[in-house]
Structures are given as C-alpha cells and as structure tokens.
Amino acid sequence: MHQYALLVEEELFLAPERGMRFCEQLAIIIGSLTNISMSDEQHGGHEGASSGASRVLLGKVFHRSIFSERVLLWILLAATFLLPLFFVPGQLVAPEFAKMILLEALVLVATFFWAAGRLRDGSLEVPKSFLLLVSVLLVVQFVAAAIASPSPLISFIGSGYDMGTVNSFVVLFLLMFVGSTVFSNRDRVVLLYGAFLASGVVVMLYHVLRQVFGVTFLDFDIFTSAVATPVGRWNDMASLVGGMVLLVLTTLYFFPQNKKLSVPAFLILLAGLFFLLAINFTALWLILLVLIGILIALSVYEGEREHRTKLRAAQEGGAHHAHKPIHRRVPGHLPFFATIFFLVAILYGSGLSNLTWGKEGATIANTVSQTLHSTPYSEVMLTPQFTYDIVKATITESPFFGTGPNRFASAYLKYKVNTINVTPFWDTTFEFGLGRIPTYFGTTGLIGMILWVVFVILLFVKGRKTFALLAKDRIAAYLGFSLFLLALYFWSLSFFYLPNITIFAFAFIFTGALIAFLSGEGVLSRYRLQFDGGSRLSVVLTPVAVVVLVGVVAAGVLLYRQTSSLILFREAQIASAANNIADAERALIQANALAERDVHLRALSSLALVKLQGLANENLSQEEVAAKARQYIDDARTNAERAIALDATNFENYLQLGGVFDTLGTLGIQNTTPFARENYEQALRLNPRSPRVLFMLARVEYAASDRAKTKEYLYKALAERPNFVEALSLLVELELQDNNFDAAVTAVRAGAQAEPTNFVLHFALGYLYYLNGDRQGALTEFESAVILNPQYADAKYFLGLVYSQLGRRDEAVQQFTDVQTLNPDNKEVAAILVNLKAGRDPFAGMPAQSAQSAKVLEGGILQ
C-alpha cells in the first residue's frame, strides 16, 4: 500500500505528463475490474469465483482501514478547521487562492476515497433528499450554461480559483455530498462543531495578540493592515464570528444547566460581541436579528408548551399551578444571552445606532467604535437595484443560460450605468453582483434561478423536519436545530453578501451535515443500492465509479497545473514590477504552457512591446535591430491575437491588440491606424460606457490628425466621466488651440463639479480663468486647490500672483514663502519674494510672466 501511495504522489504531483499517463493506467486497472463485473452478468456459473476475485483485488488496492468513512470524516474536519486559518506566507500565493487550492485538494481526496470505498464494497447508500437532488440539477444547469457560454473555458475553469466557475461549484457540491454521507451520527456532528469553534477561537486569539498586544511578527508579511485577517476580508471575519455566536447561543439554550459549557461559552460570546461591534457589518446584524429571533421564538414556544403541560397536569391532579398572564410569562421564557444579542442586533441592524444624540451629534455606533479603537472599514459592492437590473436584462436577453458561469462581468460592462463612471471605481470590472446567489441568477439563467428558489424552499422544509426531533430527545433536537440555523445563516450571507471561499464553503458543509444527521436520526430515509456480484446495477454503477475515480485523478493533475501556472504568473508580475523583463517573460511562458490564459498572453504581448521600445537603447547593428524588431512585433501581435481567440468576449484582449498597432504607429510604421481603430471599436462594443476605451479611440484619431473625430470621442468620454483628467487635458489643449476658450472652461468646470475634491481640476479651472483675466474666478479656484492640497506648489504660485494683482500683498508674500519652502532652489520664486516685500511688481526686473504661463501649459495644464 505504501508503494501504491508513493506511485500516486510521484505520478500526480511531480510531472503533469506522467500524471496523465497515470490516469490512463488507473483507468485500465479499474476498467479490468469493470470487465470482471460485467462478465459476472454473462457467465452466471463463474459468478461467485470472479466476483470474489474482484472483491479481493479491490480490497487490497483500496484497503478498508484507509478508504473508510472515518478517514472521510477527518478530511472534512480538516477542511472545516483549516479553511479559516490556512494561508501561504509570502507574496506568491494570495490567501484566497491558497484556501481554494486547499479546499479543492481535500475535496478531491475525499471524493476519491468515497468512490473507492463504494467500488470496493459494491454498495451505495445516499440520503433520500430533494435538497441533494436539486443540488445535482444545479450542477447540471451550471454545465449546460457553460457549454452554451460564448467563452466555455472561462465558464468551466476561469483563472483556476474563480468562485463563479463550473469547477468551483462542482467542488462545493462534492463537499456537501460527501458531508451528507459522513455526518450521520451525533458524535460526528459534535466533532464538526468542535473543529468549527476551535478554528474560530484560534482566529480571534490571533487578532487579540496582534491588535491588543501588538505582536507584530504574526503579520507574516501578508496581514499588514489592522483589518487583514487569515479568514479573508474583515467582513468575512465578522461572518465567521457570527456563526460561532449563533452556535454558542443555541448550545446555551438547549443546555442551560451544563456548568462545563458556561465559562468557555461566556468567553466566546464576549469575544464575539467585541469583534461584531468593532467590525459593525450591517447585513450580518440583520441576519443575526432574524435567526436569533427564531431561537427566541422557539424558546417562547417551548416555554408556553411546558406551561400548558404543567397547568393541565395540575388541573387533572387537583394541585395548584401559578397561571400568570402571558405578557408576564414570556419574559421568563427568554434565554438571557440570546436576548442581549437580539437587542444589540436590533440596535445595529435597524440603524438606531447611527442616530445622533447630544450637542456634538454623537452616535452609539461611533462611541462604541472609538471605545473599541475600531478601524474604519467598508467594501464596495453593487447595489441591490443595479444587481436586479443586470440580472433582469441578462435573463431577458438569454433566459435559459444567462451570461454563462463566471461571466457576470460581461453583463456588468454591457449594462453599466454612468453614475459609476464618476466614482473611483469607474474602470473596475465587477465579477459579482450584490451576493453570490443573485449573481448565479444572471450567469445560469431562469432555470438556475428557479432551482435556487426551490433549493431555499427545501432548506426551510428541512428546518421544519428538525422540529420532529424536539419530541425525541434534547441532544437530537439541539443538533438538528443548530445545524439548520447554521446552514440558513451561511446561505443568507451568500444571498446578501459576497462571502469568500471559507464562508461560502461552510454553507455547503453544514447543509450536507444537516441532511446526513436527519438521515441518521431516521427523519429522512436512505437509498441503498447493491452492485456487487451478479447485480444488474453492477453493469451501470461500476463504470460510473471508475469514471469518478479517473476523473478525480485527472482533476488533481489539472489542479496541479493551474496552481503552478498561477504561481508562475505571480512571479512574472513581481519580476515585471522590478523591471526584470527576462525573468518575467520566462515565468509567463512557463505559466502559459501549463495553463493557457488570455491574461498570460496579454502580458507576453505587453512585454514584447516593452522590448521593442527598448531596442533604441541597445548597442546593436542595424540588421540586428531590424531582425529583433520583426520578432518582437510578431510576438506582440501573435500573443494578442491568441488572447482574442481564447476569449473573444473580453474587451481587454481587443485593447491589447489595438495597443500593439497603436504603438507601432508611434514608432513610425505606416498603415497601423485602421487596425488599431478596428480593435478599439470592438472593445467599445463589448464595453460601451468605458471612458478609457473612448479616450484610446480619441488618441488614435489624434495621431491620424483628425481633430473633429478626436474631439467627438473626447466629448463622449467626458459625457461618461466628466472628471476624466487625461481626456480633459487633451480636450483643453485642442480647444485652446482652436480659440474655443468657453468650451475649454465648460469642460473643466463640469469635471470639477463631478469631483469637487480634485485639486488638479480646481487648479486647471483657475488657470483658465487667470488666462482670461477673470481674477475673481481664478482666486476662488486657486484657493480651493490649495485648501484641498496645501502642498500644491503650482496652485500656491498662481494664488500668490492673484493676491498680488488684487492688492493683497501680505497674503501673496505668504503664498510665495510657502512655494519657496516647497522649492528651496527655485531662484525665480526667491526673486518674486524680494519684489513683493519691497512693494514692487512680482516680476519687476524679470521676463514677462507669460514665460511662466507657457511653462505651465507645456504638456497640458492638467498634467
């Protein structure tokens, strides 16, 4: 067995090519077992002997002590414990990427062990659950939508760790499926809870050490900010803590007299409240409000039922039982800690904590935040309305399959509203909408949406089934109800937030555990299928098991290649940032050889252009320069064209190819403008509201000396983003050259109004007013620029000139004193100060200030 394990390790992880051969060999070995099973059907006389031989062989290969449910249990417990904690120190592997690798590896191993065990035993036992059936249908819909996708590679695999792909969803489904077969008894669910709570406690202790006691060596050069956490984002940390709090509150409700639980439960709740208040995640508070409300409702229901039972017993026995009015009885039914968290959730979830009070307008949230020394934190997500609009438009256009898995970004770009273009995220592509599940509505179509709705309904049906356990015993009721609450909690986060892989995986783990536990308690029945010996099912299920085994091994090889490719791509990024072109190119070529992706090809194309532009600095003969130039041009164009071939729906690929021709044009190569224009126009069709694409089209027309077309594209770009500085700079230059002063002022004024905090725009507007002799208008804008950026020397320079012209000499002296402090070696500023202090004109004895004006205009006033 040890030799077999070594063979797997060597063939699968040391060389992808040998790994593929190993898949073929494994298929042949297990396929022979399938033939044995099939021959059992055809030759009944030898059935016992051949069947026994196959079982013995399978028993030796897949030994019962290794390929067992117990091993599966520990794999799932490892996933539960490690996901919040796991990361790889250093800059090569991002924490989110590391978690996805870990999860895929563990799930693949678990699936292999499960399938091997089924093949060895010749039996299959699965809970009878419509929830599992709908999950299978969701997988089928994901696959169908990916096949119909305009870019199947992006939909099936993506970059390797995208959470919207078929690959990632199948991994999560397998996690739930294996869990639904493992957590079938109480001890295993308790172990699951232990792994979950232990992981959360370690994370909370980690942050206490870092933030309270200032232990800096725990940063690992990754978690350098106060809101960086091994779990993921700061709100993911809150999501983990919220799940822990919910589990502990449920435990205290069902076992209030257990003294061993009281102290650790109190400490977890205290730490949990601290982190929840410090992070203050509004959506989480609302979810906790509802779910703790369900726990409190259960408490009142059971309290009233117990009261009626005692009252009935007292009446039948003739004894006295105190019968208070219901409004006096209910407070006695309320669990203490759950009620406290419920009240806090009302305060924060409803927004009452943000109401001002007192003379200084303080709020409860701000006061608590200051007391806890919280770090302000927020995340940028699409609004519910915008997400709804995108999903609606997508389903209207493609009702059955949507955009295709992992392609929400294409719908976002297509239906983007221009209000986003005036924000700092104007050039950001959003891969997800408001929540993960609503995003799936748009990427898998109407059928996918219906299946998700049915999934949620069936989850509540499972929750209703847990109430049958209340009459069984307290432990069964506790485990069933708490599993339902946790599953509902993590799915709620997936509907109203974008949890990372850790939190999203917990939704699948606890749902699978809920199904398994209800089955183990007899609430759900099971399908039991035998396909050993002469069973007719053996002809069907044995090959299926073989396909699963081979598929898992092949998926392991693919995971190895994807992981290696992504690490190499990160190496290339680091090398490129250090201007190490040779190492960056080498890493990119290797990354693309392992997993061909358009992002790799775009990077290779860009490197070729960098090398092309650097030829002028190399000491080469004319023939060598010409040969290398041809090679670099060919590499740049070929890689960009291949990127388009891989994903013709990504506008960035067309921008890259257009940029190749654009660069060639700047180097003096003729007839490249039409090709650059053609690719930019295609990029615009895919991203119709992109100011960046419109500006690149404007530059192409400017290079082609078509001023009218240049202005047309510039005005279109500014209509989308009025504060687009690069477009404004070029437009102002053109309008001033054409003596259209008012048009230049109007454009810059619109930009300043769109972004009032942009000091460069205020300075530019002030400078235009200054050129036109409008001293009051210039004064207002220059003052605004200086207030926004007190270190902005250009604005202080011209503000000083305006002060001098308005007779405010002391203020002019102050501004030029500041300019001299910022530019101590500037002789002109020193001379101006001498003149001002002497009561003379600032430029007395100096060249006309038009020289300075021309200097500022050089390169554009917005540079």
Side-chain angles (χ1 to χ4, degrees):
M1 190 64 213
H2 178 67
Q3 292 176 347
Y4 176 76
L6 289 178
L7 173 64
V8 172
E9 179 180 359
E10 178 184 356
E11 293 295 331
L12 179 57
F13 297 105
L14 296 185
E17 294 77 10
R18 294 205 299 264
M20 292 305 296
R21 291 197 300 271
F22 173 70
C23 293
E24 298 171 0
Q25 294 166 4
L26 183 63
I28 294 171
I29 293 171
I30 305 181
S32 66
L33 302 178
T34 306
N35 293 332
I36 292 175
S37 180
M38 291 181 177
S39 66
D40 292 343
E41 284 290 306
Q42 299 170 1
H43 306 286
H46 301 284
E47 179 182 314
S50 59
S51 175
S54 65
R55 293 300 138 203
V56 170
L57 181 57
L58 285 170
K60 289 181 178 180
V61 176
F62 303 124
H63 198 274
R64 191 176 298 275
S65 63
I66 298 177
F67 295 87
S68 64
E69 272 198 4
R70 186 169 184 81
V71 174
L72 288 179
L73 170 65
W74 286 108
I75 292 174
L76 294 182
L77 293 178
T80 304
F81 178 77
L82 291 176
L83 273 176
L85 302 172
F86 186 74
F87 64 92
V88 178
Q91 301 298 318
L92 284 181
V93 182
E96 185 77 359
F97 172 36
K99 293 178 189 297
M100 194 67 194
I101 296 172
L102 173 70
L103 181 63
E104 286 197 37
L106 290 176
V107 169
L108 288 176
V109 171
T111 305
F112 185 90
F113 276 46
W114 176 85
R118 304 292 68 73
L119 187 62
R120 179 200 60 217
D121 297 339
S123 64
L124 176 65
E125 192 170 311
V126 180
K128 286 185 179 180
S129 171
F130 283 111
L131 201 58
L132 275 181
L133 176 60
V134 171
S135 300
V136 172
L137 294 177
L138 279 169
V139 171
V140 172
Q141 177 62 12
F142 260 81
V143 172
I147 293 173
S149 169
S151 182
L153 179 65
I154 299 300
S155 293
F156 273 103
I157 300 176
S159 64
Y161 65 100
D162 297 330
M163 290 186 62
T165 59
V166 173
N167 173 67
S168 63
F169 190 77
V170 168
V171 167
L172 291 168
F173 164 75
L174 290 174
L175 179 67
M176 182 175 71
F177 175 76
V178 175
S180 71
T181 66
V182 171
F183 295 105
S184 55
N185 65 52
R186 302 179 183 189
D187 291 340
R188 292 179 178 182
V189 175
V190 171
L191 287 174
L192 174 65
Y193 285 172
F196 175 65
L197 290 174
S199 181
V201 168
V202 171
V203 171
M204 288 195 292
L205 287 175
Y206 168 82
H207 281 286
V208 168
L209 288 174
R210 274 191 62 206
Q211 298 178 13
V212 177
F213 296 100
V215 182
T216 57
F217 72 88
L218 293 176
D219 293 345
F220 300 106
D221 294 327
I222 299 177
F223 312 114
T224 54
S225 71
V227 296
T229 167
V231 181
R233 293 162 298 183
W234 203 219
N235 283 346
D236 292 316
M237 173 67 182
S239 301
L240 176 67
V241 172
M244 295 173 63
V245 165
L246 197 60
L247 177 57
V248 172
L249 291 177
T250 308
T251 305
L252 288 178
Y253 166 70
F254 277 93
F255 306 105
Q257 305 303 323
N258 193 319
K259 301 300 181 182
K260 294 181 180 180
L261 294 176
S262 58
V263 174
F266 175 75
L267 293 176
I268 291 176
L269 290 179
L270 185 63
L273 183 62
F274 169 82
F275 281 104
L276 290 176
L277 290 173
I279 300 173
N280 192 14
F281 182 14
T282 303
L284 179 65
W285 283 119
L286 290 172
I287 293 171
L288 286 177
L289 174 65
V290 174
L291 297 184
I292 296 175
I294 293 175
L295 178 61
I296 291 175
L298 175 65
S299 175
V300 173
Y301 166 76
E302 287 199 311
E304 282 298 293
R305 186 179 63 177
E306 181 182 3
H307 170 77
R308 288 193 297 269
T309 301
K310 290 181 178 179
L311 180 62
R312 190 180 305 110
Q315 290 173 346
E316 292 175 355
H320 175 72
H321 176 70
H323 183 64
K324 298 178 182 179
I326 188 170
H327 67 277
R328 294 186 179 179
R329 298 198 305 268
V330 168
H333 302 325
L334 301 179
F336 177 72
F337 289 109
T339 303
I340 290 177
F341 273 88
F342 183 74
L343 294 175
V344 175
I346 290 177
L347 190 65
Y348 278 82
S350 65
L352 292 174
S353 61
N354 293 318
L355 295 179
T356 57
W357 52 278
K359 294 182 179 180
E360 297 181 357
T363 66
I364 295 176
N366 285 339
T367 303
V368 172
S369 179
Q370 292 172 5
T371 303
L372 299 179
H373 302 287
S374 304
T375 302
Y377 178 78
S378 62
E379 291 183 17
V380 178
M381 293 187 297
L382 299 184
T383 63
Q385 183 62 50
F386 191 18
T387 302
Y388 169 79
D389 292 340
I390 292 175
V391 171
K392 180 182 177 182
T394 299
I395 291 179
T396 301
E397 181 178 335
S398 180
F400 295 110
F401 302 112
T403 63
N406 202 36
R407 296 193 67 255
F408 181 85
S410 63
Y412 164 77
L413 294 175
K414 188 173 183 179
Y415 302 112
K416 182 172 71 171
V417 293
N418 61 359
T419 53
I420 292 180
N421 279 331
V422 298
T423 70
F425 309 98
W426 63 278
D427 204 27
T428 301
T429 301
F430 287 84
E431 303 286 344
F432 283 87
L434 171 67
R436 298 219 176 272
I437 307 304
T439 301
Y440 291 153
F441 292 169
T443 58
T444 58
L446 192 59
I447 298 175
M449 178 190 295
I450 293 172
L451 288 173
W452 277 113
V453 172
V454 173
F455 182 92
V456 173
I457 294 172
L458 290 175
L459 181 62
F460 277 99
V461 171
K462 289 289 184 291
R464 185 174 177 272
K465 288 182 180 293
T466 62
F467 284 91
L469 299 174
L470 294 175
K472 191 172 184 180
D473 61 68
R474 208 61 183 161
I475 295 178
Y478 157 67
L479 293 175
F481 184 77
S482 56
L483 281 172
F484 167 66
L485 273 191
L486 286 171
L488 187 59
Y489 169 76
F490 286 112
W491 282 117
S492 298
L493 284 169
S494 302
F495 266 90
F496 302 108
Y497 176 56
L498 288 171
N500 73 340
I501 186 60
T502 298
I503 304 303
F504 199 35
F506 281 149
F508 289 85
I509 290 175
F510 285 110
T511 303
L514 174 63
I515 295 171
F517 180 73
L518 292 177
S519 175
E521 293 294 322
V523 178
L524 298 177
S525 57
R526 288 174 173 264
Y527 290 106
R528 291 180 175 85
L529 303 175
Q530 291 293 131
F531 57 96
D532 59 343
S535 169
R536 293 184 180 276
L537 287 174
S538 178
V539 180
V540 176
L541 294 183
T542 300
V544 170
V546 172
V547 169
V548 171
L549 287 172
V550 176
V552 168
V553 176
V557 175
L558 178 63
L559 175 61
Y560 167 82
R561 296 176 68 91
Q562 293 284 347
T563 302
S564 302
S565 176
L566 286 166
I567 292 174
L568 285 166
F569 181 63
R570 180 57 183 156
E571 286 182 2
Q573 289 179 313
I574 294 173
S576 181
N579 202 31
N580 191 338
I581 305 301
D583 285 350
E585 185 178 33
R586 174 191 52 78
L588 280 172
I589 291 173
Q590 292 177 355
N592 201 57
L594 286 168
E596 192 177 30
R597 296 289 179 268
D598 60 343
V599 65
H600 301 160
L601 294 163
R602 289 200 306 271
L604 283 169
S605 177
S606 296
L607 284 183
L609 292 178
V610 171
K611 292 192 295 182
L612 177 64
Q613 292 170 323
L615 278 176
N617 301 323
E618 294 186 19
N619 187 18
L620 299 172
S621 65
Q622 187 174 357
E623 293 78 10
E624 290 175 323
V625 169
K628 284 195 171 187
R630 283 193 296 271
Q631 182 61 51
Y632 295 156
I633 291 171
D634 186 60
D635 289 345
R637 187 186 69 253
T638 301
N639 285 318
E641 289 173 346
R642 179 57 185 161
I644 292 174
L646 283 180
D647 186 4
T649 66
N650 189 340
F651 80 100
E652 294 283 3
N653 293 335
Y654 290 97
L655 285 185
Q656 181 62 39
L657 184 55
V660 171
F661 291 111
D662 206 348
T663 302
L664 296 180
T666 61
L667 294 176
I669 298 177
Q670 301 297 315
N671 301 321
T672 59
T673 298
F675 298 103
R677 182 187 296 117
E678 178 184 352
N679 283 281
Y680 287 156
E681 287 174 347
Q682 179 59 29
L684 187 64
R685 282 189 283 271
L686 294 170
N687 190 0
R689 312 204 75 156
S690 171
R692 176 160 62 103
V693 178
L694 288 165
F695 177 65
M696 296 180 84
L697 278 165
R699 284 192 354 184
V700 168
E701 301 303 339
Y702 182 71
S705 301
D706 190 338
R707 296 175 69 87
K709 201 70 174 176
T710 301
K711 287 186 179 181
E712 179 184 343
Y713 279 121
L714 288 173
Y715 276 112
K716 285 182 178 179
L718 293 173
E720 296 293 340
R721 179 171 172 79
N723 51 332
F724 191 6
V725 174
E726 289 85 352
L728 274 173
S729 180
L730 181 56
L731 180 65
V732 167
E733 179 183 344
L734 294 175
E735 295 293 15
L736 290 181
Q737 290 174 0
D738 294 341
N739 295 318
N740 295 330
F741 183 83
D742 291 341
V745 169
T746 300
V748 178
R749 186 189 297 121
Q753 290 172 349
E755 190 179 359
T757 59
N758 191 319
F759 60 89
V760 174
L761 293 177
H762 284 288
F763 169 73
L765 185 57
Y767 185 76
L768 291 175
Y769 285 140
Y770 182 84
L771 286 180
N772 201 39
D774 184 353
R775 297 294 180 260
Q776 196 58 49
L779 175 66
T780 301
E781 299 303 326
F782 287 146
E783 285 180 336
S784 296
V786 169
I787 291 172
L788 291 169
N789 185 1
Q791 307 301 314
Y792 194 10
D794 284 348
K796 283 182 168 291
Y797 180 97
F798 281 97
L799 179 59
L801 292 181
V802 173
Y803 279 149
S804 173
Q805 293 167 6
L806 294 176
R808 298 162 63 171
R809 194 168 299 274
D810 292 341
E811 292 170 283
V813 169
Q814 181 60 54
Q815 293 302 319
F816 277 102
T817 301
D818 293 344
V819 174
Q820 188 177 44
T821 302
L822 294 170
N823 300 273
D825 298 328
N826 192 310
K827 295 180 180 180
E828 179 183 328
V829 173
I832 290 174
L833 267 175
V834 171
N835 286 333
L836 288 173
K837 290 177 180 179
R840 297 190 295 268
D841 181 270
F843 295 101
M846 297 169 57
Q849 69 185 67
S850 58
Q852 176 65 25
S853 301
K855 181 181 178 182
V856 175
L857 267 178
E858 187 177 315
I861 62 173
L862 293 174
Q863 300 301 318

